[in-house]
Amino acid sequence: MSGLPIVTDEAILDAAFAPALSLVAGVPDDLHPEWLPVVTAATAEERIAAALARWTLDFTGLVPQFFGEFCSRLLDVRLGRAAGDLALIYVVRGRADEVVVWLGWDPRQFREPRFWDRFPAAVQTFLQTVHAGFSYPDGVSGGLAHVAEMNTYAEWAEEPDGLVGWDEEQDIASTRLLVITSNGTNLLYCVSPDLPTGTLALVYEGDIDPQPFDASIDALMLRPLEE
């Protein structure tokens, strides 16, 4: 019998704030074969163990504070479908015991994003083999965006050819900043060919602040788990 508190389907979907997200019962025909142990496990503990067994040590070492809290607060891992795409739903006890949900996207959806050589090797491996994004249900924020949602800052601002006046103020062109995640509002985390590998540009209201990739992502992902 599972020792973890049971989280209802309704609580998971309420926490996701995503009308297009649904839970999937059984074993769908398009299931990733390596997800079968998660889907067929009898208890939450077994589902968690099966899902985390696929996470790579180099990536978990990149975000140690997050991963430690994440593992201690995981309540369940379920199979879901978001706008037609399968994903693992990681259900976590957040601050004040609220439920927080991350989606781990199917790695078969991986397509190499722009400026790929500026992603740390640990992140490249994770996106290619574990999840093609690990984010809130919006597919963009809270971790690593789904690779299909990684657009340039210019595209994010709906000026794909470049923001007017941007180059007069900034050293990095808006078309050379790739948004790989956000804090859910206007703080964007970007890689760029004009920055070294292992560096993120934190962009807020047009200001660019280069920061270490690992510490920045670790802090971002940890935020909803901090008391």
Side-chain angles (χ1 to χ4, degrees):
M1 187 172 180
S2 174
L4 294 176
I6 295 173
V7 184
T8 66
D9 293 0
E10 292 77 11
I12 294 171
L13 295 175
D14 286 348
F17 296 106
L21 179 66
S22 60
L23 294 169
V24 177
V27 181
D29 292 340
D30 56 343
L31 182 73
H32 190 311
E34 295 186 12
W35 288 3
L36 187 61
V38 180
V39 173
T40 57
T43 67
E45 287 99 337
E46 292 171 343
R47 289 190 288 272
I48 289 169
L52 292 182
R54 301 191 64 252
W55 283 51
T56 52
L57 291 176
D58 55 354
F59 181 74
T60 61
L62 193 82
V63 288
Q65 294 186 78
F66 163 76
F67 192 67
E69 284 294 320
F70 179 67
C71 290
S72 69
R73 292 170 173 267
L74 257 175
L75 299 173
D76 207 344
V77 180
R78 302 284 298 279
L79 182 66
R81 197 178 290 276
D85 293 330
L86 285 177
L88 292 183
I89 304 173
Y90 291 81
V91 186
V92 186
R93 179 177 59 82
R95 63 167 70 99
D97 290 333
E98 66 179 0
V99 176
V100 182
V101 168
W102 275 273
L103 299 190
W105 302 94
D106 191 331
R108 295 174 300 181
Q109 299 167 359
F110 176 81
R111 300 293 183 273
E112 187 174 300
R114 282 164 285 188
F115 315 142
W116 183 237
D117 63 338
R118 290 300 187 265
F119 287 70
V123 177
Q124 291 179 338
T125 301
F126 184 84
L127 291 172
Q128 289 175 304
T129 65
V130 183
H131 289 306
F134 181 77
S135 69
Y136 297 152
D138 63 6
V140 176
S141 61
L144 295 170
H146 190 301
V147 290
E149 300 294 334
M150 292 183 179
N151 297 309
T152 66
Y153 187 86
E155 290 166 334
W156 178 84
E158 299 183 349
E159 296 185 42
D161 296 328
L163 274 68
V164 175
W166 177 275
D167 294 345
E168 300 169 7
E169 301 291 335
Q170 301 293 350
D171 295 331
I172 303 176
S174 58
T175 55
R176 291 172 66 82
L177 290 163
L178 184 74
V179 181
I180 68 162
T181 192
S182 80
N183 71 342
T185 55
N186 291 326
L187 178 60
L188 307 178
Y189 296 66
C190 307
V191 296
S192 171
D194 300 321
L195 292 172
T197 302
T199 303
L200 280 176
L202 274 58
V203 184
Y204 181 74
E205 295 184 350
D207 292 329
I208 299 175
D209 181 20
Q211 293 291 329
F213 192 112
D214 50 359
S216 300
I217 293 295
D218 198 11
L220 171 69
M221 296 170 73
L222 180 65
R223 186 178 176 187
L225 306 182
E226 292 179 305
E227 296 293 350

